[in-house]
């Protein structure tokens, strides 16, 4: 057996291990593409051109595109804010702290603007947003309905805002 064939064959489990231990989902997508390319190369070397072409088209290109769409849409923190609070310095500091807190988890913050506090609370209750920021007298109030998000934000936001966990009733509890 040729030494280059052994090297190409060894790339497959090595890249699979890299994929398993990857924390960044975008890097994992790239590594998944490398696995598909190596597998297609290996199939082509071994004489299975039809399998190699299928792996290159479906296993690499199509699956990466679908995974990219899924990862992009699932790694969003939808933050509702009041339109009146947009131009305040305290909100700018708070948004910077939130972005810094969620950066290790590869979340991007998407701001959703609401005209009134009542609409903001309704959006949180109806699960349109994950958290809200509003000005309450002299301090900012941040509420979230996601327990994991509360755990992530708590150490970073204690000096800037009052952070409140607002658990929503489950479907069964609200029906009873």
């Amino acid at each position: 057996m040729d030494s280059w064939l052994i090297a190409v064959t060894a790339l497959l489990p090595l890249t699979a291990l890299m994929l398993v231990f990857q924390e960044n989902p975008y890097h994992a997508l790239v590594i998944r593409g490398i696995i598909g390319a190596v597998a297609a190369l290996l199939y082509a070397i071994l004489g299975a051109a039809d399998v190699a072409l299928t792996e290159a088209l479906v296993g690499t290109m199509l699956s990466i595109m679908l995974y990219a769409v899924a990862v992009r849409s699932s790694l969003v923190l939808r933050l509702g804010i009041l339109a009146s609070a947009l131009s305040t310095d305290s909100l700018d500091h708070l948004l910077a702290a939130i972005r810094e807190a969620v950066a290790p988890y590869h979340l991007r913050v998407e701001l959703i603007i609401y005209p009134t506090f009542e609409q903001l609370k309704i959006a949180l209750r109806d699960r349109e947003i994950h958290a809200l920021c509003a000005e309450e007298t002299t301090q900012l109030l941040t509420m979230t309905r996601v327990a994991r998000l509360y755990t992530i934000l708590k150490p970073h936001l204690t000096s800037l805002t009052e952070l409140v966990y607002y658990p929503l009733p489950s479907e069964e509890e609200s029906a009873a």
Side-chain angles (χ1 to χ4, degrees):
M1 191 177 227
D2 295 333
S3 60
W4 59 271
L5 186 57
I6 293 171
V8 170
T9 307
L11 282 175
L12 207 53
L14 289 175
T15 52
L17 278 174
M18 288 174 56
L19 178 65
V20 168
F21 292 112
Q22 186 54 247
E23 291 181 5
N24 187 333
Y26 295 108
H27 293 167
L29 283 174
V30 172
I31 294 172
R32 172 60 184 94
I34 293 170
I35 287 175
V38 169
L41 175 66
L42 189 60
Y43 294 141
I45 289 171
L46 296 176
D50 56 339
V51 178
L53 183 62
T54 302
E55 177 63 33
L57 293 176
V58 176
T60 303
M61 293 171 41
L62 182 63
S63 65
I64 295 303
M65 294 300 289
L66 293 175
Y67 290 153
V69 168
V71 166
R72 177 81 175 151
S73 65
S74 66
L75 294 176
V76 176
L77 164 59
R78 294 177 56 93
L79 181 66
I81 59 171
L82 285 175
S84 61
L86 276 177
S87 60
T88 61
D89 287 336
S90 57
L91 181 67
D92 293 339
H93 288 87
L94 179 63
L95 290 176
I98 290 173
R99 285 189 175 102
E100 183 181 329
V102 299
Y105 303 96
H106 311 289
L107 291 172
R108 63 183 169 86
V109 178
E110 182 180 300
L111 297 179
I112 312 296
I113 301 167
Y114 291 91
T116 66
F117 185 70
E118 287 74 32
Q119 289 177 330
L120 198 58
K121 283 192 79 167
I122 290 170
L124 185 67
R125 187 194 65 214
D126 292 345
R127 295 179 169 91
E128 294 175 15
I129 56 176
H130 300 109
L132 66 84
C133 288
E135 214 162 4
E136 186 181 56
T137 60
T138 60
Q139 191 176 13
L140 287 172
L141 169 68
T142 304
M143 294 175 72
T144 181
R145 62 178 173 82
V146 182
R148 177 72 177 136
L149 193 56
Y150 176 78
T151 306
I152 291 170
L153 294 176
K154 188 166 177 72
H156 298 275
L157 302 183
T158 53
S159 64
L160 297 171
T161 183
E162 178 186 350
L163 184 63
V164 177
Y165 174 56
Y166 183 73
L168 299 178
S170 65
E171 300 288 328
E172 297 85 30
E173 292 175 8
S174 59

